[in-house]
Amino acid sequence: IAGKRYRLPTISAYQFSDIELNSFFTNKGIDSAVPLVLDLNMVAPCQANCIYCFTESGSMSRNRGQEADRFHVDKKYDPITSAELEEMISQYADLGGKVVFICSDGEPLINMEEFFRYAHLARSKGLRVVVYTNMIAVKKDIAQRLYDEDIDVVCKIETLDPKVNSAIIRPR
């Protein structure tokens, strides 16, 4: 909707124009066959130990008094394969998709080469790429690569106070 400011911070990272958003919401875009954003959830562990995490990569079971294997992948389901994720990106692009949001129940940048393979495929098909990261793995060289490959970053920051942030996230 022209001139409307959206409350979700990630909407800015997607870089949709007012025209794209207005068209989607006023032309029954919600019923569209092509979503505005493809959330691509990689299987990845996490090097943080957030006090509130509820994922298999997090600390919920430990908080219940059970031992947690932070790098355990739940075997109740078969994770989507790399080939399937790549096919999803290709089909989404072919349908006219705009943005691929790469996230994980852990940290997508731990599997750096896999992450960049998906990002490169998406960029080569004209899609914008956004990654959700806790920033623990991002050093100067990785930040430069994200910038060079035109990948937008949504950072997990609990507070601007480094001591409080570390107490919440508890990086390993």
Side-chain angles (χ1 to χ4, degrees), residues 137-164:
V138 179
K139 306 299 181 232
K140 188 175 182 177
D141 61 326
I142 302 305
Q144 186 65 53
R145 188 169 176 190
L146 291 165
Y147 176 81
D148 290 345
E149 297 195 27
D150 199 23
I151 297 168
D152 293 307
V153 176
V154 175
C155 306
K156 175 183 180 165
I157 299 174
E158 304 302 329
T159 174
L160 295 178
D161 182 327
K163 288 181 183 175
V164 174

Side-chain angles (χ1 to χ4, degrees), residues 7-32:
R7 294 184 61 176
L8 295 172
T10 53
I11 200 81
S12 296
Y14 296 142
Q15 300 177 20
F16 293 120
S17 70
D18 285 343
I19 293 169
E20 287 172 309
L21 289 173
N22 192 36
S23 174
F24 184 81
F25 289 116
T26 60
N27 295 325
K28 298 187 177 162
I30 294 170
D31 296 325
S32 171

Side-chain angles (χ1 to χ4, degrees), residues 50-171:
C50 299
I51 60 175
Y52 56 80
C53 189
F54 59 89
T55 70
E56 288 294 322
S57 296
S59 58
M60 184 63 129
S61 60
R62 188 191 65 261
N63 289 342
R64 291 182 179 160
Q66 301 168 355
E67 191 60 36
D69 177 359
R70 303 221 4 111
F71 299 98
H72 170 74
V73 175
D74 188 350
K75 298 297 182 188
K76 291 184 229 170
Y77 63 91
D78 292 325
I80 296 171
T81 67
S82 293
E84 291 168 328
L85 289 173
E86 290 168 358
E87 181 61 22
M88 284 184 220
I89 292 169
S90 294
Q91 287 183 21
Y92 179 67
D94 292 345
L95 289 169
K98 303 286 184 197
V99 176
V100 173
F101 181 74
I102 302 176
C103 56
S104 173
D105 61 348
E107 168 56 44
L109 294 179
I110 284 181
N111 296 331
M112 196 82 59
E113 293 313 311
E114 182 179 9
F115 164 79
F116 279 108
R117 188 175 70 246
Y118 299 139
H120 180 72
L121 173 63
R123 295 289 302 135
S124 74
K125 295 189 171 290
L127 299 169
R128 290 190 301 266
V129 176
V130 179
V131 62
Y132 180 79
T133 175
N134 62 27
M135 297 295 289
I136 295 171
V138 179
K139 306 299 181 232
K140 188 175 182 177
D141 61 326
I142 302 305
Q144 186 65 53
R145 188 169 176 190
L146 291 165
Y147 176 81
D148 290 345
E149 297 195 27
D150 199 23
I151 297 168
D152 293 307
V153 176
V154 175
C155 306
K156 175 183 180 165
I157 299 174
E158 304 302 329
T159 174
L160 295 178
D161 182 327
K163 288 181 183 175
V164 174
N165 196 63
S166 289
I168 294 169
I169 294 177
R170 303 182 311 192

